[in-house]
mmCIF file of all heavy atoms in Angstrom:
data_model
loop_
_atom_site.group_PDB
_atom_site.id
_atom_site.type_symbol
_atom_site.label_atom_id
_atom_site.label_comp_id
_atom_site.label_asym_id
_atom_site.label_seq_id
_atom_site.Cartn_x
_atom_site.Cartn_y
_atom_site.Cartn_z
ATOM 1 N N GLY A 159 7.746 6.732 2.985
ATOM 2 C CA GLY A 159 8.198 6.727 1.600
ATOM 3 C C GLY A 159 8.102 5.349 0.960
ATOM 4 O O GLY A 159 7.645 5.220 -0.188
ATOM 5 N N LEU A 160 8.441 4.322 1.712
ATOM 6 C CA LEU A 160 8.353 2.958 1.197
ATOM 7 C C LEU A 160 6.897 2.596 0.932
ATOM 8 O O LEU A 160 6.569 1.960 -0.070
ATOM 9 C CB LEU A 160 8.985 1.997 2.196
ATOM 10 C CG LEU A 160 8.901 0.506 1.831
ATOM 11 C CD1 LEU A 160 9.621 0.217 0.508
ATOM 12 C CD2 LEU A 160 9.516 -0.332 2.957
ATOM 13 N N ARG A 161 6.003 2.995 1.836
ATOM 14 C CA ARG A 161 4.579 2.714 1.630
ATOM 15 C C ARG A 161 4.085 3.296 0.338
ATOM 16 O O ARG A 161 3.340 2.637 -0.413
ATOM 17 C CB ARG A 161 3.784 3.262 2.819
ATOM 18 C CG ARG A 161 2.290 2.897 2.764
ATOM 19 C CD ARG A 161 1.500 3.669 3.788
ATOM 20 N NE ARG A 161 1.457 5.096 3.485
ATOM 21 C CZ ARG A 161 0.667 5.654 2.577
ATOM 22 N NH1 ARG A 161 -0.137 4.913 1.847
ATOM 23 N NH2 ARG A 161 0.697 6.970 2.385
ATOM 24 N N GLN A 162 4.502 4.533 0.027
ATOM 25 C CA GLN A 162 4.035 5.189 -1.183
ATOM 26 C C GLN A 162 4.636 4.564 -2.442
ATOM 27 O O GLN A 162 4.010 4.570 -3.505
ATOM 28 C CB GLN A 162 4.350 6.660 -1.128
ATOM 29 C CG GLN A 162 3.604 7.421 -0.028
ATOM 30 C CD GLN A 162 3.901 8.906 0.000
ATOM 31 O OE1 GLN A 162 4.206 9.487 -1.031
ATOM 32 N NE2 GLN A 162 3.831 9.504 1.168
ATOM 33 N N GLU A 163 5.839 4.047 -2.305
ATOM 34 C CA GLU A 163 6.525 3.465 -3.464
ATOM 35 C C GLU A 163 6.200 1.995 -3.689
ATOM 36 O O GLU A 163 6.455 1.455 -4.771
ATOM 37 C CB GLU A 163 8.037 3.580 -3.277
ATOM 38 C CG GLU A 163 8.572 5.000 -3.226
ATOM 39 C CD GLU A 163 10.057 5.035 -2.894
ATOM 40 O OE1 GLU A 163 10.670 3.949 -2.738
ATOM 41 O OE2 GLU A 163 10.605 6.147 -2.776
ATOM 42 N N ALA A 164 5.666 1.342 -2.680
ATOM 43 C CA ALA A 164 5.586 -0.129 -2.676
ATOM 44 C C ALA A 164 4.765 -0.686 -3.837
ATOM 45 O O ALA A 164 3.734 -0.133 -4.225
ATOM 46 C CB ALA A 164 5.028 -0.624 -1.362
ATOM 47 N N THR A 165 5.218 -1.784 -4.344
ATOM 48 C CA THR A 165 4.503 -2.547 -5.362
ATOM 49 C C THR A 165 3.184 -3.073 -4.770
ATOM 50 O O THR A 165 3.109 -3.354 -3.596
ATOM 51 C CB THR A 165 5.351 -3.753 -5.808
ATOM 52 O OG1 THR A 165 6.579 -3.279 -6.352
ATOM 53 C CG2 THR A 165 4.640 -4.598 -6.853
ATOM 54 N N GLU A 166 2.174 -3.166 -5.610
ATOM 55 C CA GLU A 166 0.918 -3.734 -5.171
ATOM 56 C C GLU A 166 1.161 -5.091 -4.537
ATOM 57 O O GLU A 166 1.887 -5.939 -5.077
ATOM 58 C CB GLU A 166 -0.060 -3.881 -6.344
ATOM 59 C CG GLU A 166 -1.415 -4.430 -5.966
ATOM 60 C CD GLU A 166 -2.337 -4.556 -7.156
ATOM 61 O OE1 GLU A 166 -1.947 -4.134 -8.269
ATOM 62 O OE2 GLU A 166 -3.455 -5.110 -6.978
ATOM 63 N N GLY A 167 0.565 -5.318 -3.371
ATOM 64 C CA GLY A 167 0.747 -6.567 -2.671
ATOM 65 C C GLY A 167 1.780 -6.509 -1.557
ATOM 66 O O GLY A 167 1.839 -7.405 -0.713
ATOM 67 N N VAL A 168 2.580 -5.456 -1.531
ATOM 68 C CA VAL A 168 3.569 -5.261 -0.479
ATOM 69 C C VAL A 168 3.051 -4.222 0.490
ATOM 70 O O VAL A 168 2.795 -3.080 0.107
ATOM 71 C CB VAL A 168 4.935 -4.850 -1.049
ATOM 72 C CG1 VAL A 168 5.925 -4.592 0.094
ATOM 73 C CG2 VAL A 168 5.476 -5.909 -1.998
ATOM 74 N N ARG A 169 2.883 -4.599 1.749
ATOM 75 C CA ARG A 169 2.351 -3.688 2.766
ATOM 76 C C ARG A 169 3.493 -3.149 3.629
ATOM 77 O O ARG A 169 4.512 -3.803 3.813
ATOM 78 C CB ARG A 169 1.338 -4.428 3.646
ATOM 79 C CG ARG A 169 0.171 -4.983 2.834
ATOM 80 C CD ARG A 169 -0.918 -5.529 3.739
ATOM 81 N NE ARG A 169 -0.476 -6.693 4.517
ATOM 82 C CZ ARG A 169 -1.230 -7.263 5.469
ATOM 83 N NH1 ARG A 169 -2.428 -6.771 5.779
ATOM 84 N NH2 ARG A 169 -0.790 -8.320 6.117
#
Side-chain angles (χ1 to χ4, degrees):
L160 178 60
R161 185 191 67 79
Q162 295 182 29
E163 296 174 2
T165 300
E166 182 181 355
V168 177
R169 301 189 295 173

